Amino acid sequence: MLLPMLKTHFHENGFLFSLLLILLCFPFAMAEKDFWRSSLVGMSDSSDPLKLTFNAPAKHWTDAIPIGNGRLGAMVWGGVDTEILQLNEDTLWTGTPANYTNPDAPQALREVRKLVDDGKYAEATEAAVKLSGKPSDVYQLLGDIKLEFEVSHQSYTPETYHRELDLNTATARVKYSVGDVEFTREHFASNPDQAIVTKIAASKPGSLSFIVSIDSKLHHSSHVVDGQSLIVLHGSCRGVRIPPKMELDDNPKGIQYSAVLSLQVSDGSGVVHDLDEKKLKVNGSDWAVLRLVASSSFKGPFTQPSLSGKDPSSESLATMKKLKNLSYSNLYARHLNDYQSLFQRVSLHLSKSSKNESSSTNSGGKEVRVASTAERVKSFQNDEDPSLVELLFQYSRYLLISCSRPGTQVANLQGIWNKNVEPAWDGAPHLNINLQMNYWPSLPCNLKECQEPLFDFTSFLSVNGRKTAKVNYEASGWVAHQVSDIWAKSSPDRGQAVWALWPMGGAWLCTHLWEHYTYTMDKNFLKNKAYPLMEGCASFLLDWLINGKDGYLETNPSTSPEHMFIAPDGKPASVSYSTTMDIAITKEVFSSIISAAEILGKSKDTFIDKVRKAQARLLPYKIAKDGSLMEWALDFEDREVHHRHVSHLFGLYPGHTITVQKTPNISEAANNTLHKRGEEGPGWSTAWKIALWARLHNSEHAYRMVKHLFDLVDPDHESDYEGGLYSNLFTAHPPFQIDANFGFSAAIAEMLVQSTINDLYLLPALPRHVWPYGCVKGLKARGGLTVNMCWTGGDLDEVGLWSSEQISLTTLHYRETTVAANLSSGKVYTFNKLLKCVRTYSLPK
């Protein structure tokens, strides 16, 4: 009886009714960020809504709003008379499974090694092209949903237009008025129901009329299903990557795909017509709901799509059938319950004052016009609004939830969002910084589940990588290089050695496996998932290392990603031996597997003994004559002093072999290196530098790089920029790359909390002059800890800690104060500014 009564007061498909339904259908659960209660009233949460706002429809793709459920994505343009939802599905790639070996590589390897040994670095660089392979395959797009409204919509009142992305609900909204009628649209991507859902409504009954269709740039056909208000799209990806600037052929043979779009209108008012068997027309409705589902014939990287046994059209129609009995309110409630269980784990509030004022109110408390997000970015260099930092931090978490979920593909160079048949850099995962940066926030920012696709991808890489290691390098274990794709490409890229010859991609990925353990303390994960992959990786590294000068083991050939040096003979080169990054990653992998072996009772294994002996023979870090950290084994001159990569600082971040506490001289060299490299660079370089400065506990320079990122990019002149933000807060290389979005949140977390399994450093790089007041809740630290804290006047005020899984013995560090804390699982501990425990209580169940 209750629901019919409520429907009398709230329209069944209305937003308020959706919220009520959530409260009725889903038991109330306290958000994880609220487990700890600060005594500082009003400081815990920001009063600014977590919304990206726009005062006009999108003119460029980077003005549109991204939504996603991990697998399906859409860019919402928010046009008035014509609306576009540009669609993506994460398994749509060119290509089929391939052979990633080169039987001629061993001979080429011997030639290159000899040239390096002879000091002929330029010649070695030229010869190393023989070790390169084929390019990766290319990420594709699904298509567009097009909504065409009546001509009268062109006469809308611009002042009434509002478009927003609400991060708290993962919902995109558009509203505007035509005369006395207000039109609203609401879009979300549901993970539990694997659908993109849109609701369109008019404030005046019978005022909604439009035409809907679906199209694609790929080979496709579409038709309306008679009498069912369904449009079905069938299509194919190419079986080979697209040669540059060539047109699509008519007979592609690759991954097959299908999308199904359903249309529902209000009972008793709306009428649906079939137009040309390809479009649906709605006349005189109060509201309409669209549901989009899609699937493909992809069944893993080792199965030919034509042999997968999957029928995308049947799968899409079956999924749509399941949605038939779910109302819009049900779908929205299920979406919110799923999304908020992840997003609401962490809150961040940064402020210049102790007063918790919203940026949308003036000093008199009156409502003022809310500036668009683009306007806020543009004014950041002057006002340094901390709430915009909060927004970009949480937007990063939103994007990761939206493009990487258990069972999906790994987040690629653009997450899942892509508008081109030939995207920049193929949209492919790049393993020399970009893919790894995509997952930097997953652990500290409390989204460990979102990292699962990375581990699945690493497992796939290890299968192909074992073949590549054996054939190309006559080595055991497994290897991966600089770029990959959905088929788990493990071989070198096509082209010059400066980017293509870099067999450390798999090793870097393996450091994420160990990090996952240090944050979660999940021994089953370590034993069953991480250790076998780490062992295979370490096995390759043991074989890849060869005897070098002065008794050291060396990597040869070796490059520092995408950077060149001037050889002693004055020639530019990229190939030498034992670059600092090679050795730093190897040290990290060896240290991690030795630690893992101790935990798993394998420390006396013969293999681990080999690792220990090799570890002792790795080159130490070296300081150049100018005081910076040497990037190569020899003190070569940089080809580009301000190069975008800072690969030789891997050991500082994300690695752990350079620390302020244990290696002060090397840390000082790292400091000099950052000064030498400068501040310019693409978005991902900026994000990396924030984290590096944070690890050096240099809050001033960390914040300088934060500020550096807030540069509004003009899409019409994006080549004039290095880094920056688009109006939808996508980060720019340019063009758009999503890695800096993720790197930013991880770097902000690093400014606030740093940790080892046994140590917790509080506010190590807080810029006290710009964020003197603040509170963060729900961050994760190594050792299985959840960290919450507030600060006032730039000084720590309170800390809340808990561990839900185990007893933790942790040393707390704040400035010069160090305190040992014994934390029992299942209890929340509050410490004051002197790090004295002042309160405990049990975790909510």
Side-chain angles (χ1 to χ4, degrees):
M1 292 295 294
L2 182 58
L3 284 178
M5 292 172 61
L6 289 172
K7 290 176 188 177
T8 304
H9 299 282
F10 302 104
H11 193 283
E12 181 178 0
N13 288 279
F15 178 65
L16 289 175
F17 185 81
S18 297
L19 294 179
L20 277 169
L21 195 65
I22 294 167
L23 296 175
L24 291 170
C25 296
F26 296 96
F28 176 76
M30 182 184 293
E32 188 173 326
K33 66 183 177 65
D34 296 323
F35 287 179
W36 179 67
R37 300 184 293 272
S38 170
S39 63
L40 299 177
V41 178
M43 278 296 295
S44 295
D45 295 302
S46 175
S47 59
D48 281 289
L50 290 172
K51 293 182 178 181
L52 280 68
T53 58
F54 309 81
N55 53 26
K59 293 181 179 179
H60 304 89
W61 188 77
T62 49
D63 300 328
I65 293 173
I67 59 174
N69 65 10
R71 184 179 67 87
L72 290 171
M75 295 291 286
V76 181
W77 284 65
V80 176
D81 58 319
T82 301
E83 169 68 290
I84 297 293
L85 272 71
Q86 186 265 308
L87 305 170
N88 292 105
E89 202 272 359
D90 72 350
T91 63
L92 299 192
W93 285 73
T94 64
T96 58
N99 177 11
Y100 301 111
T101 64
N102 176 8
D104 297 326
Q107 177 58 37
L109 179 62
R110 287 188 283 272
E111 178 186 351
V112 173
R113 281 178 169 170
K114 179 65 166 59
L115 289 168
V116 169
D117 288 342
D118 292 342
K120 297 179 179 180
Y121 302 115
E123 292 81 356
T125 299
E126 184 177 347
V129 173
K130 299 174 185 177
L131 290 166
S132 66
K134 296 179 181 179
S136 67
D137 271 292
V138 186
Y139 184 49
Q140 301 291 275
L141 70 168
L142 174 56
D144 295 333
I145 296 175
K146 186 176 183 180
L147 303 170
E148 301 170 85
F149 295 89
E150 293 179 306
V151 176
S152 62
H153 285 238
Q154 296 178 5
S155 302
Y156 78 103
T157 308
E159 292 77 16
T160 65
Y161 185 91
H162 179 75
R163 182 164 53 100
E164 70 179 30
L165 171 62
D166 185 344
L167 301 185
N168 275 316
T169 61
T171 306
R173 298 189 181 93
V174 179
K175 69 176 181 179
Y176 59 89
S177 295
V178 179
D180 60 349
V181 181
E182 182 179 73
F183 292 90
T184 59
R185 303 176 204 151
E186 195 169 70
H187 313 268
F188 64 90
S190 168
N191 178 270
D193 292 305
Q194 288 298 300
I196 292 173
V197 184
T198 293
K199 179 199 164 190
I200 312 168
S203 61
K204 186 176 180 180
S207 298
L208 183 62
S209 299
F210 63 93
I211 297 170
V212 60
S213 59
I214 184 169
D215 199 0
S216 178
K217 294 179 182 179
L218 300 182
H219 181 84
H220 75 283
S221 63
S222 64
H223 67 277
V224 171
V225 179
D226 291 340
Q228 295 188 42
S229 295
L230 290 177
I231 303 176
V232 178
L233 178 79
H234 311 272
S236 304
C237 300
R238 284 181 59 105
V240 294
R241 64 173 281 131
I242 304 161
K245 309 306 178 188
M246 285 186 64
E247 297 296 323
L248 293 173
D249 64 40
D250 293 328
N251 297 294
K253 296 178 181 178
I255 294 172
Q256 308 296 298
Y257 67 90
S258 175
V260 175
L261 179 69
S262 75
L263 173 63
Q264 176 190 5
V265 297
S266 52
D267 296 334
S269 59
V271 178
V272 180
H273 301 282
D274 175 349
L275 285 183
D276 304 323
E277 298 182 349
K278 294 194 180 283
K279 302 178 181 180
L280 294 171
K281 184 176 182 181
V282 175
N283 283 324
S285 185
D286 299 346
W287 54 263
V289 174
L290 304 171
R291 300 169 173 87
L292 184 284
V293 299
S295 61
S296 82
S297 61
F298 179 78
K299 195 180 181 180
F302 313 125
T303 301
Q304 290 286 345
S306 60
L307 302 177
S308 70
K310 295 184 68 178
D311 181 344
S313 294
S314 296
E315 286 190 8
S316 294
L317 288 167
T319 301
M320 186 62 75
K321 186 176 181 180
K322 293 177 184 177
L323 303 183
K324 188 175 182 180
N325 296 324
L326 292 173
S327 69
Y328 180 83
S329 299
N330 290 135
L331 289 167
Y332 193 65
R334 288 160 60 86
H335 157 68
L336 283 188
N337 187 60
D338 165 75
Y339 170 77
Q340 291 182 339
S341 68
L342 296 169
F343 186 77
Q344 291 188 348
R345 292 173 180 177
V346 174
S347 66
L348 174 65
H349 174 45
L350 304 171
S351 180
K352 295 180 180 179
S353 74
S354 58
K355 295 180 180 179
N356 195 6
E357 293 182 350
S358 169
S359 62
S360 61
T361 59
N362 61 22
S363 57
K366 296 180 180 179
E367 189 75 18
V368 296
R369 175 185 174 276
V370 177
S372 70
T373 300
E375 291 170 325
R376 295 177 68 190
V377 173
K378 205 167 186 178
S379 64
F380 187 86
Q381 296 301 319
N382 295 319
D383 62 30
E384 300 184 58
D385 178 9
S387 67
L388 192 55
V389 177
E390 298 171 19
L391 184 66
L392 189 59
F393 172 87
Q394 292 287 25
Y395 185 52
S396 165
R397 299 182 66 250
Y398 162 83
L399 290 173
L400 189 57
I401 295 169
S402 300
C403 75
S404 185
R405 293 287 200 102
T408 71
Q409 300 306 305
V410 74
N412 64 48
L413 208 57
Q414 298 181 179
I416 51 173
W417 299 279
N418 167 42
K419 64 182 174 66
N420 296 317
V421 174
E422 298 179 53
W425 299 289
D426 301 327
H430 283 59
L431 278 60
N432 63 2
I433 175 61
N434 316 97
L435 176 60
Q436 289 87 345
M437 186 178 284
N438 284 0
Y439 288 94
W440 282 358
S442 58
L443 293 170
C445 297
N446 209 337
L447 294 171
K448 66 179 182 181
E449 297 91 338
C450 294
Q451 200 176 23
E452 288 187 25
L454 182 67
F455 301 145
D456 294 338
F457 182 66
T458 304
S459 295
F460 295 143
L461 274 176
S462 73
V463 175
N464 284 335
R466 193 169 291 276
K467 300 171 187 175
T468 304
K470 182 178 181 180
V471 175
N472 289 33
Y473 304 125
E474 299 175 328
S476 61
W478 68 274
V479 65
H481 291 76
Q482 164 257 357
V483 67
S484 189
D485 54 30
I486 197 169
W487 308 109
K489 168 184 163 60
S490 53
S491 56
D493 193 10
R494 175 181 62 186
Q496 299 176 28
V498 66
W499 70 78
L501 181 57
W502 193 71
M504 304 301 291
W508 190 343
L509 288 177
C510 277
T511 67
H512 284 247
L513 295 161
W514 174 247
E515 288 282 46
H516 186 86
Y517 170 76
T518 65
Y519 273 89
T520 64
M521 308 304 286
D522 184 343
K523 194 171 178 179
N524 286 330
F525 170 84
L526 182 64
K527 177 182 178 181
N528 300 318
K529 185 75 171 182
Y531 193 85
L533 291 169
M534 293 165 65
E535 186 176 36
C537 172
S539 181
F540 169 77
L541 292 174
L542 287 174
D543 284 353
W544 181 244
L545 290 163
I546 58 177
N547 290 316
K549 300 176 180 66
D550 302 321
Y552 289 110
L553 293 174
E554 65 181 33
T555 57
N556 175 8
S558 180
T559 61
S560 190
E562 302 181 27
H563 195 199
M564 300 186 76
F565 57 88
I566 304 300
D569 59 6
K571 298 177 182 178
S574 63
V575 175
S576 62
Y577 67 95
S578 297
T579 60
T580 301
M581 189 184 216
D582 273 13
I583 302 304
I585 291 177
T586 302
K587 287 178 178 177
E588 202 77 26
V589 171
F590 284 179
S591 175
S592 298
I593 196 166
I594 289 170
S595 297
E598 291 175 358
I599 294 163
L600 298 176
K602 297 175 178 284
S603 58
K604 294 183 180 180
D605 287 5
T606 302
F607 177 76
I608 297 300
D609 186 54
K610 290 181 181 179
V611 173
R612 286 196 192 93
K613 289 177 180 177
Q615 183 185 42
R617 296 178 60 195
L618 296 175
L619 273 174
Y621 290 110
K622 296 181 181 180
I623 299 175
K625 55 181 177 289
D626 64 3
S628 64
L629 189 67
M630 283 171 52
E631 187 166 357
W632 296 275
L634 300 176
D635 197 2
F636 295 129
E637 178 186 347
D638 292 281
R639 176 81 181 273
E640 293 180 62
V641 174
H642 304 302
H643 193 265
R644 60 193 176 274
H645 281 263
V646 281
S647 305
H648 45 319
L649 298 185
F650 173 91
L652 177 62
Y653 185 94
H656 306 280
T657 52
I658 301 174
T659 67
V660 172
Q661 298 83 9
K662 295 181 179 179
T663 58
N665 292 340
I666 303 302
S667 294
E668 181 61 28
N671 177 86
N672 296 336
T673 300
L674 285 169
H675 281 293
K676 178 180 176 180
R677 264 307 195 256
E679 297 180 354
E680 295 304 316
W684 59 261
S685 180
T686 301
W688 196 355
K689 289 168 185 172
I690 299 170
L692 288 164
W693 282 118
R695 278 278 173 94
L696 291 172
H697 297 184
N698 191 321
S699 59
E700 177 186 352
H701 279 90
Y703 181 72
R704 279 176 63 90
M705 296 311 299
V706 168
K707 191 174 178 181
H708 187 75
L709 189 62
F710 284 86
D711 185 16
L712 184 64
V713 176
D714 179 356
D716 288 326
H717 302 92
E718 64 182 8
S719 62
D720 296 340
Y721 295 82
E722 275 204 285
L725 301 169
Y726 295 100
S727 69
N728 66 357
L729 294 188
F730 272 171
T731 50
H733 184 285
F736 162 57
Q737 278 185 204
I738 203 167
D739 38 28
N741 282 109
F742 298 132
F744 179 81
S745 58
I748 295 298
E750 202 69 23
M751 293 171 73
L752 302 177
V753 176
Q754 293 176 25
S755 63
T756 69
I757 289 180
N758 300 310
D759 296 273
L760 184 64
Y761 298 88
L762 305 170
L763 303 180
L766 175 72
R768 300 171 64 194
H769 64 296
V770 286
W771 305 337
Y773 297 88
C775 194
V776 65
K777 297 195 293 184
L779 291 182
K780 290 292 186 177
R782 294 172 184 85
L785 293 178
T786 302
V787 182
N788 317 265
M789 58 185 166
C790 294
W791 59 93
T792 58
D795 298 321
L796 182 67
D797 197 286
E798 279 187 320
V799 183
L801 303 175
W802 76 77
S803 173
S804 59
E805 302 296 332
Q806 61 176 39
I807 296 173
S808 297
L809 180 60
T810 302
T811 302
L812 308 182
H813 303 263
Y814 176 64
R815 295 179 183 168
E816 303 304 318
T817 303
T818 300
V819 171
N822 196 346
L823 309 177
S824 298
S825 61
K827 287 190 175 182
V828 180
Y829 296 80
T830 298
F831 298 82
N832 64 16
K833 63 184 68 178
L834 300 176
L835 302 185
K836 179 181 179 181
C837 184
V838 294
R839 189 169 72 249
T840 64
Y841 55 88
S842 297
L843 274 173
K845 295 183 179 180

